[in-house]
Structure formats: C-alpha cells, structure tokens
Amino acid sequence: LLPEGVREELIGRDPRYGELEAALLSHGGMGMYEHLFCPGHREPDLELLLEKGVLQHPSAVVAAPPEHCAGSKCHRNVVGCWFHSKGEAEIMSGYALMPNNLWCSHSWLQAGGHLIETCCEGEGESEYGLYWGAAVGGCRTVHLFRRHAMIGECPGIERTTTADVMGEPGSKLHQQACMAAGIEWEVHAGCHVGDQGMWRGCLLDS
C-alpha cells in the first residue's frame, strides 16, 4: 500500500487513530510514521494516550546509563532502566517527533522532573524535537518487563531460572518486577500469561 492507503485503512478500521493523529499534529509535524508506512499497525496504549497523553519538551532530557542505551531499542532499554531505578522512574509510552518531522512510536522514562532518554546520540542530547505520551500503570509496566526482559533478553537483567526465561507469573524475576511496580503478583498473574505480544489491558480494569 502507498502511505495514504495505509493511513486510510488504519483510520477506517478504528477512527480513534484519527483522533490520535490530530492530537499529535496539533503540536507540529507532518504525519505519523506508523500511520503512513506500517500496514496493520496497532497501538497497544491507544485508550490511555487519548485519555492522558501530554506534551513534553526535550529541554529536561537526561541520558540513561550507557548499558541501557542500545540504539533503536527503546522499548527494551526502558524496562531495564526502569527495573534498576527501583521504582523511582516511570515508563512513558507515546510518540516522539523525529528530525524528518514525523512522529514515531517511542518509549522513555520520567523521574524527578526529567525525561530519561535511552536513545541519546550524546550525553543528554536527544534527536527528538518533542515528546507526547502518558505514564503506563504498574500492570502494563510489568507486561513490558516480562516481554522485553524475561521472554526477551535485556542487558543488566539476569534471568536465573527457567521460569524467568519462560516469563512465568510468580517466578523470582516476575515477583521482583511486580514489587518494583507496586502491584501484587498474585492479583495480576492472569494479566501476564501467554506470549503477550499485544497488550489487552489489565484484567482488573475490565
């Protein structure tokens, strides 16, 4: 599909993507990368972003520690950085404005009034012009951690048991992540099962 066809299919499938696009473009930019070049794109945090998305400026950006700054791997980077912050940082899900004037899906952290960027080109230097997103809740945070640091490998996260590698709820690493996120693992165990490729929301909210 040509870019316009991708966009029409996406908004035709779910008009809320048009609302998301309008919210972003009200702050500048000429389009959304995923809306133009990613057929079948699905935004897992769509409802959260439409309800709570806010604009953030890069003037308060600090670089994450080097071990959490692998290029083009923001989603994996942020869960490792979050875990080692011991609950002091929040994971932000949303979009960032690239130098080509397109908004792209992105994850970062916030803590102590600063944005923590895991894809900095230099110390504290962000390539993004603006950030727009929302802090994810504890259950979603553990979902991301399970996907990118348990089932997937993440620098600085040691998976010591088979249960950790399989992403099993109740494993040592899962319990540690739930504790860091401020949730009870037994209560949220049903939210963190399966391959979890797509976030379908916290079961406690349904």
Side-chain angles (χ1 to χ4, degrees):
L1 290 174
L2 294 173
E4 188 59 31
V6 174
R7 178 180 177 277
E8 289 177 354
E9 184 278 330
L10 184 65
I11 296 176
R13 169 162 41 91
D14 190 336
R16 293 180 300 170
Y17 284 102
E19 298 176 37
L20 177 63
E21 181 181 78
L24 286 167
L25 297 185
S26 69
H27 301 294
M30 56 183 290
M32 295 178 64
Y33 178 83
E34 283 78 10
H35 284 201
L36 297 173
F37 303 108
C38 300
H41 170 68
R42 293 184 183 277
E43 169 51 64
D45 296 309
L46 181 59
E47 187 173 337
L48 171 71
L49 291 172
L50 290 176
E51 180 181 350
K52 298 183 178 180
V54 296
L55 185 70
Q56 296 182 312
H57 295 270
S59 56
V61 169
V62 296
E67 62 269 26
H68 303 302
C69 281
S72 302
K73 301 204 179 282
C74 62
H75 304 309
R76 188 187 71 179
N77 293 340
V78 296
V79 298
C81 191
W82 165 78
F83 188 72
H84 287 290
S85 78
K86 301 187 183 302
E88 294 183 6
E90 291 182 293
I91 293 178
M92 298 291 293
S93 173
Y95 292 79
L97 188 61
M98 299 186 292
N100 63 6
N101 221 23
L102 290 177
W103 292 90
C104 69
S105 177
H106 191 51
S107 295
W108 62 100
L109 301 106
Q110 65 177 10
H114 292 92
L115 308 187
I116 303 173
E117 178 56 74
T118 66
C119 295
C120 285
E121 294 182 340
E123 186 174 350
E125 297 179 3
S126 172
E127 66 171 320
Y128 301 112
L130 293 171
Y131 295 78
W132 187 89
V136 303
C139 187
R140 169 66 165 149
T141 295
V142 176
H143 164 267
L144 290 167
F145 180 84
R146 178 177 180 265
R147 180 181 180 188
H148 295 288
M150 293 178 67
I151 297 174
E153 293 188 47
C154 179
I157 304 297
E158 186 177 1
R159 303 177 296 172
T160 59
T161 69
T162 300
D164 285 342
V165 176
M166 297 298 292
E168 293 181 6
S171 71
K172 179 180 178 181
L173 204 49
H174 180 260
Q175 290 190 42
Q176 290 175 342
C178 287
M179 183 178 297
I183 65 174
E184 298 180 28
W185 78 264
E186 299 98 333
V187 175
H188 291 267
C191 307
H192 306 146
V193 295
D195 62 19
Q196 290 287 290
M198 173 58 70
W199 172 241
R200 303 191 186 282
C202 176
L203 297 178
L204 275 64
D205 295 335
S206 59

